[in-house]
Amino acid sequence: MKRKVGALEKVEGDLINLQYKIRRDPASYADDFNRQYEQYLQKRELFDKSPELLNNTENESFMQVVDLVSHVAYCYKEKTASFPEELMQILREHHAVLKTEVQEKIISCLTMLRRKDVLDSATLLQTLFPLLTTTRSKSLRAFLFVRILSDVRAANQKSTDHRLNRTLQTVLYNLLAADRTSPTGLWAVKLTRELWKRQVWTDAKAVEIMKEACMSENEKVIIGGVRFFLGGDKEREELQDESSEEEIDPGQLKHQSLINKKTSKRKKDFQQAMSAIKKKERKKNEPHPLNFSALHLLHDPQGFAESVFYKHLQSNKSKLNLEQRLLVLQLVSRLVGLHKLTIISLYSYYIKYLNPRQQSVTTFLACLAQSSHSFVPPDSLEPLVLKIANEFVSEASASEVASAGLNTIREVCARQPLAMTDTLLQDLVQYKTSKDKGVMMAAKGLLSLYREVGADLLKKKDRGKAASMGIQRKEIKERKFGEVEKGEIEGLDLLEKWKAEEKQRKRLEKGLPAEAESGEEWEDEDEDDGWDGWEVESNGSTDSGGWLPVDSDVEIEVSDSDDEPTAKKLKTVEGGEDAFSKLATSTILTPADFAKLQELRLEAALDKELGGKKGKKTVAEKYHPDDAVTAETLESLAALSKRATKEERIAAAAAGKTDEHKSHEARRRERKAELGKSTTNKEKARKKNVLMTLGKARSKKKRSLMEQKRVLQAHVQRAKRGGRRGNIG
């Protein structure tokens, strides 16, 4: 029995068919399009008068006509020149009374017109974005947000659309700056954060938008901006890792295409998968974009940190609760530690919160450690370190509290060693004999730190062998505030040491003493070998324009006297330790030297990571300004203080074990199945149903000797050519 087709379904089918025909031949179906366009104009007049009074049938008919015109508008550009503007006008004027399906259909049609280049992206966004911030419909806001986001991503997919990006960024910035109390700025925060996460926007302009959001007076907008700086880069990395995990194995695809039945659909899927693999390979070979962190792209970090601190933390007018204040404090401390800023009043702000009974005290301690660096005056940090020691580290304190306090002191002193006094340090080091494991490990960590950065503050028995010998040889000097280590080529000392060892080895091979005597000149025969394959132009002239030979151990003094002509006096520098490496000042490194330098750097770095005897990674080298200090870092040793119960120990032991025992062969088959690999023919034959093999067994028994001979010969020939498919060769 035939199903009765409704009138609207017939019309819809006819319109879809007409749409297909118009695309194929626009000129032949121009009259049909004109009739449909006239219907659209009539229905649009009804919409302009009273859109809220239209029934479902009229709305459905209007949506179908709009959909048809939108699909074929690019075929009749002159006729439909005003069509996009009319749709935008309906949306602007009547979006509050239109039904949800009509709103979504008009927005979808406008997006389609943008994709077909009938409408430009800037005009579309200027229409949709005001609706996003003004409409009260939650569903419409969600739909508009997704459409705007997808439109910006599509516009920047092939190449960066700088004009569109600048237009939208200006709109978002003005939305935040125009009214700082309005909650509509939250949409600017959401859009910017999502586009930053998708790596559509990676420039400083996007960072300026979020910087303005942090200066807002609306709590949600402030926290949105702060969370962007604290976690926006991590979200971007996680999204990138998720996309890289979806790898396609080309070997598995080829294997499946050979084993499975050949069909046109599978062939098409295989070609699409291989094209996706080639596209990913091309992306891998492309130069990697420089994705800087949002904190590094700030224009004025000192001014921004001061403004946020004084407005949201110091001011009595701030409406933020404790949890929100902690987020702002984390941002300020992160900026101070990363850019080495100076906000003296920040450290006095911490004092009232350094109490074990304070809520979220470990987060305050982490912020304090994070905001410490080598340019903070020790006078500002000493009272804080002393208060932590008095409040947290004592015999009466709980083990978790004491270990958190010692960890905080270690983190602060690793960044500014001058914040510690000798009396306090010697007192804290005594906790290395504590019976509590967490406290003992924290105290030993502090001791290890000061053996490297301030051994002179420790007692002789606590300094260790290396530090004691360094003090005796005057290799370890007292640190001074504001002192910066001299710049040098990384690993040059390793190259200099290697060259000295090579010279000693060559002298011993020639029967000479390892050390050259005074006045004896040693010429390195292999010194010019490093320039093999390299052409060096030289004019051979030393009269003018060349370098003058200057001893590396002398300093040139220039007289400022006006009475006598300028004279150059040579003065021997005392203390060769402060001078630069002789290799850097007296030798031109060859390409072979640079290759060896890179090799020595890698070897030293590997040795440090593995903790070898040659070069152990120091405690100070483990701290990097880009690494954030969290409350979990300070609480890590507290877990050692807590004695696990029997149930917890059993659970920890059983965590890595499976419920049932499996043989090595069973685990191997499981791994192969996970990788999508097939089994061997022998395994397939062994698993085959017995009833399927009975016929073959009977036929084998009935074979004559000649038939058996032919079968065996065919088997040998198949084996020689690599099986039925001929896989050999």
Side-chain angles (χ1 to χ4, degrees), residues 5 15 51 102 135 276 315 391 430 433 449 467 539 595 610 615 645 662 697:
V5 182
L15 291 179
V102 180
T135 183
S315 175
E391 294 282 345
Q430 299 305 314
T433 59
L449 172 67
N539 56 6
L610 297 176
T645 61
K662 291 183 180 178

Side-chain angles (χ1 to χ4, degrees), residues 562-593:
D562 295 333
D563 300 333
E564 56 184 8
T566 304
K568 295 180 181 179
K569 299 180 182 180
L570 300 180
K571 180 183 177 183
T572 304
V573 178
E574 295 180 359
E577 296 171 356
D578 297 333
F580 281 107
S581 170
K582 289 184 180 180
L583 196 63
T585 55
S586 61
T587 308
I588 298 176
L589 298 181
T590 64
D593 289 336

Side-chain angles (χ1 to χ4, degrees), residues 433-452:
T433 59
S434 173
K435 293 181 181 179
D436 188 86
K437 193 173 182 181
V439 177
M440 179 262 292
M441 293 290 289
K444 284 187 175 180
L446 183 63
L447 176 62
S448 301
L449 172 67
Y450 270 92
R451 280 178 176 174
E452 296 169 4

Side-chain angles (χ1 to χ4, degrees), residues 472-488:
Q472 286 179 1
R473 295 172 184 170
K474 297 184 179 179
E475 293 176 355
I476 298 177
K477 295 183 177 180
E478 185 181 354
R479 286 176 173 258
K480 296 179 181 178
F481 174 63
E483 186 178 8
V484 182
E485 293 183 0
K486 62 183 180 182
E488 58 182 9

Side-chain angles (χ1 to χ4, degrees), residues 237-453:
E237 291 171 4
E238 288 175 355
L239 185 67
Q240 197 170 4
D241 293 340
E242 287 175 9
S243 60
S244 62
E245 284 176 2
E246 298 173 1
E247 295 291 339
I248 305 171
D249 185 9
Q252 183 181 347
L253 287 173
K254 289 179 181 177
H255 178 73
Q256 289 175 353
S257 66
L258 291 172
I259 297 300
N260 296 335
K261 185 179 178 181
K262 278 73 175 173
T263 61
S264 57
K265 183 179 183 301
R266 282 179 178 158
K267 184 180 179 181
K268 186 179 179 182
D269 292 342
F270 175 74
Q271 290 174 350
Q272 288 178 350
M274 290 303 295
S275 63
I277 291 172
K278 289 178 182 177
K279 188 176 180 181
K280 283 188 177 181
E281 288 297 326
R282 284 197 300 271
K283 283 187 177 181
K284 285 181 183 178
N285 296 329
E286 290 177 358
H288 192 273
L290 296 174
N291 291 331
F292 291 102
S293 168
L295 295 170
H296 288 92
L297 290 174
L298 281 168
H299 175 60
D300 181 17
Q302 175 73 38
F304 175 55
E306 287 180 354
S307 302
V308 172
F309 175 68
Y310 290 124
K311 182 170 184 177
H312 301 310
L313 297 178
Q314 286 280 74
S315 175
N316 296 326
K317 297 179 181 179
S318 178
K319 299 177 183 178
L320 303 179
N321 55 32
L322 180 63
E323 185 180 353
Q324 294 169 341
R325 283 173 178 263
L326 271 174
L327 286 172
V328 176
L329 185 61
Q330 287 177 23
L331 173 60
V332 174
S333 62
R334 191 103 166 76
L335 286 169
V336 170
L338 181 63
H339 295 281
K340 295 190 175 181
L341 310 177
T342 304
I343 305 177
I344 301 299
S345 55
L346 172 64
Y347 303 99
S348 60
Y349 176 80
Y350 286 113
I351 290 180
K352 61 182 177 180
Y353 296 106
L354 299 182
N355 192 306
R357 292 173 294 279
Q358 171 66 43
Q359 184 183 353
S360 305
V361 66
T362 48
T363 308
F364 282 104
L365 294 174
C367 292
L368 170 60
Q370 200 166 231
S371 58
S372 305
H373 55 83
S374 57
F375 295 128
V376 179
D379 297 341
S380 300
L381 289 175
E382 278 181 17
L384 297 172
V385 173
L386 186 61
K387 180 160 186 183
I388 293 172
N390 293 334
E391 294 282 345
F392 289 81
V393 188
S394 68
E395 296 292 343
S397 301
S399 56
E400 294 86 354
V401 175
S403 61
L406 285 169
N407 281 340
T408 306
I409 293 173
R410 189 195 68 219
E411 294 285 343
V412 171
C413 295
R415 292 160 174 77
Q416 177 52 290
L418 300 176
M420 180 65 72
T421 60
D422 53 353
T423 308
L424 180 59
L425 178 62
Q426 291 165 14
D427 184 28
L428 294 175
V429 165
Q430 299 305 314
Y431 285 92
K432 67 182 180 181
T433 59
S434 173
K435 293 181 181 179
D436 188 86
K437 193 173 182 181
V439 177
M440 179 262 292
M441 293 290 289
K444 284 187 175 180
L446 183 63
L447 176 62
S448 301
L449 172 67
Y450 270 92
R451 280 178 176 174
E452 296 169 4
V453 300

Side-chain angles (χ1 to χ4, degrees), residues 67-336:
D67 186 61
L68 170 67
V69 177
S70 301
H71 274 91
V72 298
Y74 67 96
C75 300
Y76 309 99
K77 291 185 178 180
E78 295 182 0
K79 181 78 174 177
T80 60
S82 61
F83 176 68
E85 182 59 37
E86 291 168 357
L87 287 184
M88 289 188 287
Q89 185 179 358
I90 293 173
L91 202 58
R92 280 193 297 262
E93 295 178 357
H94 308 294
H95 67 88
V97 295
L98 288 176
K99 292 190 176 181
T100 306
E101 55 270 16
V102 180
Q103 294 172 347
E104 293 180 359
K105 174 58 72 174
I106 293 175
I107 294 169
S108 300
C109 291
L110 287 171
T111 309
M112 187 191 307
L113 291 171
R114 207 279 310 158
R115 285 202 305 268
K116 295 180 182 295
D117 294 330
V118 178
L119 181 67
D120 61 297
S121 296
T123 307
L124 176 62
L125 291 175
Q126 287 173 3
T127 303
L128 299 185
F129 193 76
L131 293 178
L132 178 67
T133 57
T134 56
T135 183
R136 294 184 178 182
S137 173
K138 189 175 181 180
S139 59
L140 180 59
R141 285 201 302 266
F143 190 75
L144 284 169
F145 180 77
V146 173
R147 286 295 176 179
I148 291 172
L149 189 63
S150 60
D151 185 67
V152 177
R153 287 183 63 192
N156 289 273
Q157 192 169 12
K158 293 182 179 178
S159 61
T160 306
D161 192 343
H162 295 285
R163 184 179 178 184
L164 174 65
N165 292 342
R166 288 288 176 267
T167 304
L168 185 56
Q169 285 169 351
T170 305
V171 171
L172 297 180
Y173 185 86
N174 292 337
L175 181 67
L176 288 164
D179 186 7
R180 288 186 170 179
T181 59
S182 174
T184 54
L186 191 60
W187 290 107
V189 173
K190 286 183 177 180
L191 270 174
T192 307
R193 187 168 182 174
E194 194 66 28
L195 291 170
W196 179 272
K197 177 182 172 182
R198 304 283 179 182
Q199 297 192 22
V200 178
W201 289 354
T202 55
D203 55 350
K205 185 73 175 175
V207 178
E208 288 297 315
I209 294 171
M210 304 308 283
K211 180 180 171 182
E212 183 64 28
C214 291
M215 300 307 298
S216 176
E217 294 178 8
N218 184 276
E219 292 83 356
K220 290 184 178 180
V221 178
I222 295 169
I223 298 307
V226 170
R227 287 186 187 277
F228 167 78
F229 285 108
L230 292 177
D233 300 313
K234 189 176 179 181
E235 288 177 354
R236 185 168 63 176
E237 291 171 4
E238 288 175 355
L239 185 67
Q240 197 170 4
D241 293 340
E242 287 175 9
S243 60
S244 62
E245 284 176 2
E246 298 173 1
E247 295 291 339
I248 305 171
D249 185 9
Q252 183 181 347
L253 287 173
K254 289 179 181 177
H255 178 73
Q256 289 175 353
S257 66
L258 291 172
I259 297 300
N260 296 335
K261 185 179 178 181
K262 278 73 175 173
T263 61
S264 57
K265 183 179 183 301
R266 282 179 178 158
K267 184 180 179 181
K268 186 179 179 182
D269 292 342
F270 175 74
Q271 290 174 350
Q272 288 178 350
M274 290 303 295
S275 63
I277 291 172
K278 289 178 182 177
K279 188 176 180 181
K280 283 188 177 181
E281 288 297 326
R282 284 197 300 271
K283 283 187 177 181
K284 285 181 183 178
N285 296 329
E286 290 177 358
H288 192 273
L290 296 174
N291 291 331
F292 291 102
S293 168
L295 295 170
H296 288 92
L297 290 174
L298 281 168
H299 175 60
D300 181 17
Q302 175 73 38
F304 175 55
E306 287 180 354
S307 302
V308 172
F309 175 68
Y310 290 124
K311 182 170 184 177
H312 301 310
L313 297 178
Q314 286 280 74
S315 175
N316 296 326
K317 297 179 181 179
S318 178
K319 299 177 183 178
L320 303 179
N321 55 32
L322 180 63
E323 185 180 353
Q324 294 169 341
R325 283 173 178 263
L326 271 174
L327 286 172
V328 176
L329 185 61
Q330 287 177 23
L331 173 60
V332 174
S333 62
R334 191 103 166 76
L335 286 169
V336 170

